[in-house]
Amino acid sequence: MRASTRRAVLALASVSILLPAASAQDAVSGAWSFRADVRQKGCVLTGNMTISQPAQNGTRTCSFVSRETCEDIPDTSWQMDQTCKITPQGDKMIIRSKVVRSLTPGYSIQNYLPDHFVVEPESSSLMTGIWQDANFAAPVEFWRDDSLPVS
């Protein structure tokens, strides 16, 4: 085997060894669903979030659509398109959001507080933590679309 061919084979073998390890370390990227029962105000917040691969400094970007429904306002829900930034803090992830646009006709984004989260990955298909806005906080659970929520 020629030296250049041997180097090419070794380089390909190195890449194939490194790629599975990199994807195994990043169990957070991808699609998630979430739910928070905000009992203090009689509402349920659900949504779907997509989380990016981490940057070199460990931060990530994300985007999601949230839907809030409240018991005392029947047949009404608010859907918001939000972007977010995720900052690692130990085993936890701090998710800070910004409302981009309302998906609810006639409802302004000025009337909706961004949804923020502090979560900790439990496995590759479950994250738990706290949802919060400027006025309330509640437990939140994130799960992969192909698995069911625990609670």
Side-chain angles (χ1 to χ4, degrees), residues 6-138:
R6 194 172 325 139
R7 282 192 299 269
V9 169
L10 287 173
L12 285 174
S14 298
V15 168
S16 66
I17 290 170
L18 292 174
L19 286 178
S23 63
Q25 289 175 351
D26 185 26
V28 174
S29 299
W32 294 86
S33 296
F34 63 86
R35 178 185 173 103
D37 292 315
V38 189
R39 292 190 174 98
Q40 303 109 318
K41 63 181 200 175
C43 300
V44 173
L45 179 77
T46 59
N48 297 300
M49 181 180 286
T50 302
I51 299 175
S52 73
Q53 295 282 331
Q56 284 187 330
N57 64 2
T59 62
R60 300 168 185 268
T61 58
C62 52
S63 60
F64 64 99
V65 172
S66 61
R67 180 178 182 182
E68 185 173 2
T69 56
C70 300
E71 295 170 355
D72 62 342
I73 310 172
D75 302 321
T76 302
S77 67
W78 300 273
Q79 291 188 69
M80 297 292 149
D81 189 8
Q82 300 184 54
T83 59
C84 43
K85 180 178 178 183
I86 302 174
T87 305
Q89 188 174 38
D91 292 339
K92 295 181 174 27
M93 297 187 315
I94 311 300
I95 303 172
R96 303 298 293 172
S97 306
K98 177 183 177 186
V99 179
V100 176
R101 67 185 171 117
S102 173
L103 301 176
T104 304
Y107 194 79
S108 171
I109 64 172
Q110 280 74 30
N111 298 326
Y112 192 91
L113 297 172
D115 298 304
H116 305 299
F117 307 88
V118 177
V119 296
E120 184 172 350
E122 304 287 333
S123 69
S124 62
S125 61
L126 177 66
M127 296 190 292
T128 58
I130 300 292
W131 160 88
Q132 57 195 35
D133 67 14
N135 300 316
F136 298 96

